[in-house]
Amino acid sequence: MRDFPTRVALPVLGPCGGGPDGDQPKEKCGVFAGWGIAQPAHLAYLALFALQHRGQESAGIAVTDGQGVHRHTGMGLVSRAFSEEDLVGLEAVAGGSPLGVVAHNRYSTTGASRPENAQPFVGHFREGQVAIAHNGNLVNASALRDRLEQEGRVFYSTTDTEVLLSLVAEASHEGADDPLAAALAALRGAYSLVILHHDRVEVARDPHGWRPLVIGKMPSGGYVAASETVALDVIGADFVREVEPGEIVTLCNEGMLSRRFAAAATPMAHCVFEHVYFASPASVVFGSTVQSVRERLGERLARESPADADMVIPMPDSGRSAATGFAREARMRYSEGIIPNRYVGRTFIKPTGAERHAAVRLKLNIISEIVTGQRIVIVDDSIVRGTTTRAKMDQVRAAGAKEIHLRISCPPIRHPCYFGVDFPDRENLVAHERSVEEIRKLLGVDSLAYLSLEGLLEEVGRGPVGSEHYCTACYSGKYPIEPDPLFHKDVMSKNC
Ligand code: 5GP
Ligand code: MG
């Protein structure tokens, strides 16, 4: 979800960011939904825990009692955002059996951490209240919003989610048979959406299938939807299938109903970075188990760029799966010489370079006894800005490593992402206009190699989804769809 600069000073109804100070949160979030399930708020809470890696900034759950929507949101990790009383309060609606639920974990790397930014967003249709949660980024919301405003519509918040609500209201007013389908057909970009109505839940996925979204069934009856299968596992739901790109699935008292608002794009554009970094290794994403894919990427990397060294050390936690594959393929000793402190938040999201450095030191301890005098291969999943990697390499060197051979299980990230991952403006990407040799020098390592794009695509393409169905824009600069000019303007205004 992306926010707009505020244009009208009106009370805010739903979550909103990107206020007058021009923040523009870009989000890659986790969503969950359920209908006809026992204790929906508690199940949503567990599901959000399982999806915590998709967003740590805020969390929210909304339930319906068959009429209105009741919502609780809070800042930070799920464990902090909800108290037992909050859950009991949500569970108490509708005489102790709420009908349906939607929930959301928010990840935002550039926007301010504000309570108003938390989702689900609550809005009003003619038929009543709805709660929407969204994972992705729309690339034409500015243009849609401009048109709606010119037609006299007033916006209460700055979110692109409200644009969607407004489009649905407009379609409904104009007598469309299927207002949601009509609204979705006008959107461009990445979205995995869950929408709670008083009598059903609707979940939808953009025609390119950028972000994952799956359906599960509870053994006791009722259906759920979640960003990743790992959420189904923790609540004991059986995996049914993915939501198809271009499909709306309704979860209601009749079970599960399907309709299309668009044909699936050909080719599709599944985000390859879900496999590289973002999704849980325990999930099945786009038909492949993430852990297995990452191990294959590590094996491939070992074949493409071997290193003459004494041992492989994973960069925890994100580099561990690829490091396992690398060591196996290279028949090298594998040792955990870098120990993470699990209680420190993700360093990537700290706003200034200096703060990131301090957070990196707090986050990792290097075991001198393991690394001193050794030639080590360090395997990590990706380098974005290079700031934390540089600090980590300094730390490993200071702990006594003789040689550091850094291996990265994806290609250099040279282009921004407009579809939900916070890969910043070109200038802030360390690989932008730098050769691998220049990056090596900057990071202070003895050798540096990235996985090739062909290698990455071939390995992800071994799953049921062919490699042509992946979006690799951050590596290749080939965008499946171009953001409209207004989107560029919004993004660029942040940099000036
Ligand atoms: P950098 O050196 O670019 O500052 O940080 C690289 C590290 O950031 C890698 O270990 C990688 O796992 C992690 N990373 C890559 N993409 C993301 C992201 O979108 N969010 C967060 N929190 N970390 C990321
Ligand atoms: Mg990492």
Side-chain angles (χ1 to χ4, degrees), residues 138-158:
L138 305 181
V139 295
N140 69 335
S142 296
L144 292 169
R145 185 186 166 114
D146 279 358
R147 173 178 72 71
L148 289 160
E149 280 182 337
Q150 273 160 26
E151 289 166 10
R153 195 164 292 271
V154 174
F155 283 86
Y156 294 98
S157 84
T158 57

Side-chain angles (χ1 to χ4, degrees), residues 56 107 109 273 277-278 315-316 318-319 346-349 356 380-390 392 413 421-423 430 443:
Q56 303 92 41
Y107 159 101
T109 52
F273 202 66
Y277 168 81
F278 213 83
M315 184 55 75
S318 54
R346 287 188 160 187
T347 51
F348 189 81
I349 62 175
R356 267 194 211 103
D380 203 356
D381 65 286
S382 58
I383 305 176
V384 185
R385 296 178 176 86
T387 342
T388 53
T389 305
R390 167 83 223 224
K392 289 170 186 171
I413 296 168
V421 185
D422 182 44
F423 289 160
V430 71
L443 298 177

Side-chain angles (χ1 to χ4, degrees), residues 59-313:
I61 298 177
V63 294
T64 183
D65 54 8
Q67 287 169 338
V69 163
H70 304 259
R71 179 183 88 140
H72 176 86
T73 61
M75 297 306 291
L77 299 177
V78 178
S79 57
R80 191 181 145 211
F82 291 91
S83 66
E84 184 58 27
E85 292 84 70
D86 297 329
L87 290 177
V88 169
L90 285 170
E91 217 67 88
V93 309
S97 42
L99 297 165
V101 65
V102 292
H104 187 262
N105 274 338
R106 180 171 188 267
Y107 159 101
S108 167
T109 52
T110 54
S113 286
R114 298 189 195 143
E116 322 83 87
N117 283 341
Q119 293 197 38
F121 177 93
V122 176
H124 301 264
F125 282 177
R126 272 203 314 197
E127 64 166 297
Q129 272 185 316
V130 295
I132 296 196
H134 172 200
N135 168 207
N137 233 24
L138 305 181
V139 295
N140 69 335
S142 296
L144 292 169
R145 185 186 166 114
D146 279 358
R147 173 178 72 71
L148 289 160
E149 280 182 337
Q150 273 160 26
E151 289 166 10
R153 195 164 292 271
V154 174
F155 283 86
Y156 294 98
S157 84
T158 57
T159 62
D160 58 358
T161 309
E162 195 184 357
V163 173
L164 171 63
L165 279 176
S166 207
L167 286 175
V168 180
E170 182 186 57
S172 157
H173 188 72
E174 287 169 358
D177 287 346
D178 188 341
L180 177 61
L184 294 181
L187 301 183
R188 294 176 70 239
Y191 49 91
S192 283
L193 287 171
V194 294
I195 308 175
L196 177 67
H197 302 258
H198 70 280
D199 60 350
R200 67 195 188 283
V201 159
E202 288 182 304
V203 307
R205 194 164 171 218
D206 71 72
H208 289 86
W210 249 292
R211 302 283 146 226
L213 189 61
V214 294
I215 310 264
K217 192 174 192 314
M218 297 301 288
S220 52
Y223 285 90
V224 294
S227 290
E228 290 182 35
T229 59
V230 74
L232 307 186
D233 297 339
V234 300
I235 62 170
D238 297 319
F239 171 77
V240 175
R241 64 174 177 84
E242 289 189 35
V243 176
E244 296 290 323
E247 184 189 27
I248 301 170
V249 175
T250 304
L251 313 179
C252 57
N253 290 343
E254 286 71 48
M256 183 181 126
L257 311 170
S258 163
R259 67 191 194 275
R260 281 207 159 268
F261 64 92
T266 43
M268 290 179 283
H270 299 317
C271 171
V272 78
F273 202 66
E274 292 277 350
H275 273 311
V276 170
Y277 168 81
F278 213 83
S280 163
S283 282
V284 179
V285 169
F286 312 136
S288 296
T289 298
V290 175
Q291 172 70 14
S292 311
V293 172
R294 287 185 192 162
E295 287 187 21
R296 286 206 302 269
L297 299 182
E299 289 169 3
R300 177 81 180 219
L301 185 58
R303 287 195 296 277
E304 286 186 1
S305 301
D308 188 13
D310 303 314
M311 71 179 87
V312 173
I313 294 183

Side-chain angles (χ1 to χ4, degrees), residues 354-366:
E355 280 179 13
R356 267 194 211 103
H357 260 77
V360 166
R361 273 197 303 276
L362 181 65
K363 206 178 171 181
L364 298 177
N365 285 93
I366 316 294

